[in-house]
Every structure is written in structure tokens, then in C-alpha cells.
Amino acid sequence: MYYNSYMTKEQIKSNLIKYHIPRWEDLPSFDIYMDQVIYFINNGLAPLYFSDDKIITNSMVNNYVKSSIVTPPIKKHYKQYHLAYLIVVCLMKRCYSLTEISNLLKIYRNRSDASVAQAYNEFVEVFESYLHEIMEKGQITQHTEHVENYYQLMDNVIKSIVYKIYAEIEISYLT
């Protein structure tokens, strides 16, 4: 667990205001194995989780591949785009079913003219921006600049995830 019971709500929120999700450029640019994928994602996303549950496991990755949410590894090697998709899936699974995640990713992939790197960086930048704002102000007042439906949908998906993280923190300190 990233957080301990001695941390105050303010300390957790302060940590999350400083938190950054790895950008495309921060993801390993060389092929990695499953255990390295698991380690990288569990460590990278740990500040967003408040229980001892694993964020991602080997069987989860295998399930995402079997469900065609993530493309299969190439000769047991995972690439940057695998990590990017798995990070987004781990963030989305806080609020959405695998079927919904699969559909959301298809919508975004099919509508976006951006590369995987651009789309991933855009997603995590918006996610961080909303996360930082809600931890500072208790609400999100920002809005996406895009008017296309798929961007509005992704914007609302990200907001729902960030609001859930905020609610988890508030609930844990009110009970």
C-alpha cells in the first residue's frame, strides 16, 4: 500500500497534487517482459490506489489480451504501446467494466487522428490536470477545448475516474 493509516487526508491530497503519470517518453522504449510490465504499472499507479490490492497482475494482463482490449505481446515482449494501453485500462477499471473500457478505447482509437503516443499523452495530461484540480479545490471546473463527441466522452470518463478517487479519499476519512 502506498499510503499508510498515519497520513492525513491533506497529506494524501498534497501527494496527489504533485503526482505525475509516466508520459509516453517515460515508458520503456525497449521490449520488456510481463513481470517488468506488472512492476512498472503497479509502482507507477500506486499513488492512485488506497488498498493493498494489486493494480495489475499477470492474469489481468492475460485477460485484457484475451478480451482484445490490448494486443498480444510479440514473442512474450511488451512494447511502449502495450504499457500505454494497460495504464489507461488500469485507470478506467476503477469505474468501468471491461466491455465498457473496450468500447471506449475503440471509440477513441477509431475517431482520433493522433498517434498512440499523442493520444496517450493527451489522456494522461487531462487526467492529471483534473486530478490536481479536484485535490486542490474539491471540484473540477475545467472543460475540454474539443467539441467532438468522442473527446467530450473521454473528458467525462476521465472526470468520473478522478471524482471516484476523490470520493474514496473523502469516504475513508469520514468513516
Side-chain angles (χ1 to χ4, degrees):
M1 181 163 71
Y2 186 80
Y3 297 101
N4 61 49
S5 59
Y6 302 110
M7 292 181 79
T8 66
K9 178 170 61 171
E10 290 72 30
Q11 288 171 317
I12 292 171
K13 287 181 178 181
S14 176
N15 287 346
L16 289 174
I17 290 168
K18 298 173 201 161
Y19 174 72
H20 294 284
I21 298 171
R23 298 297 191 270
W24 180 267
E25 302 76 30
D26 302 324
L27 301 176
S29 59
F30 48 88
D31 295 352
I32 61 175
Y33 290 102
M34 171 83 80
D35 58 332
Q36 295 165 310
V37 168
I38 302 304
Y39 180 82
F40 185 88
I41 293 174
N42 279 325
N43 282 339
L45 297 182
L48 299 173
Y49 287 78
F50 310 103
S51 71
D52 289 331
D53 295 340
K54 290 286 185 195
I55 298 163
I56 192 164
T57 64
N58 294 11
S59 53
M60 288 177 191
V61 173
N62 291 332
N63 190 29
Y64 303 152
V65 169
K66 208 180 295 181
S67 303
S68 299
I69 295 172
V70 178
T71 59
I74 300 164
K75 297 182 183 177
K76 298 188 180 186
H77 291 103
Y78 292 84
K79 300 188 175 296
Q80 263 177 314
Y81 63 86
H82 289 110
L83 278 172
Y85 273 99
L86 289 168
I87 289 169
V88 171
V89 168
C90 287
L91 293 171
M92 287 183 170
K93 74 178 183 176
R94 296 185 74 113
C95 296
Y96 299 96
S97 70
L98 290 185
T99 302
E100 291 168 327
I101 292 169
S102 179
N103 289 335
L104 286 165
L105 291 174
K106 282 178 193 169
I107 291 167
Y108 201 58
R109 251 191 327 255
N110 292 340
R111 304 279 192 236
S112 178
D113 56 355
S115 68
V116 173
Q118 291 170 317
Y120 171 76
N121 279 343
E122 181 179 280
F123 182 93
V124 297
E125 286 166 9
V126 171
F127 184 93
E128 273 181 19
S129 174
Y130 290 165
L131 178 69
H132 296 167
E133 183 178 10
I134 198 167
M135 292 304 148
E136 286 182 59
K137 301 176 184 175
Q139 64 181 352
I140 299 170
T141 57
Q142 301 176 49
H143 301 284
T144 184
E145 297 171 9
H146 300 285
V147 293
E148 297 92 349
N149 285 344
Y150 58 94
Y151 280 113
Q152 290 295 326
L153 175 61
M154 194 56 62
D155 190 67
N156 287 326
V157 165
I158 293 169
K159 284 179 182 173
S160 66
I161 299 164
V162 169
Y163 272 116
K164 183 161 190 320
I165 292 168
Y166 180 79
E168 288 173 358
I169 294 168
E170 291 297 322
I171 290 167
S172 70
Y173 281 91
L174 291 174
T175 52

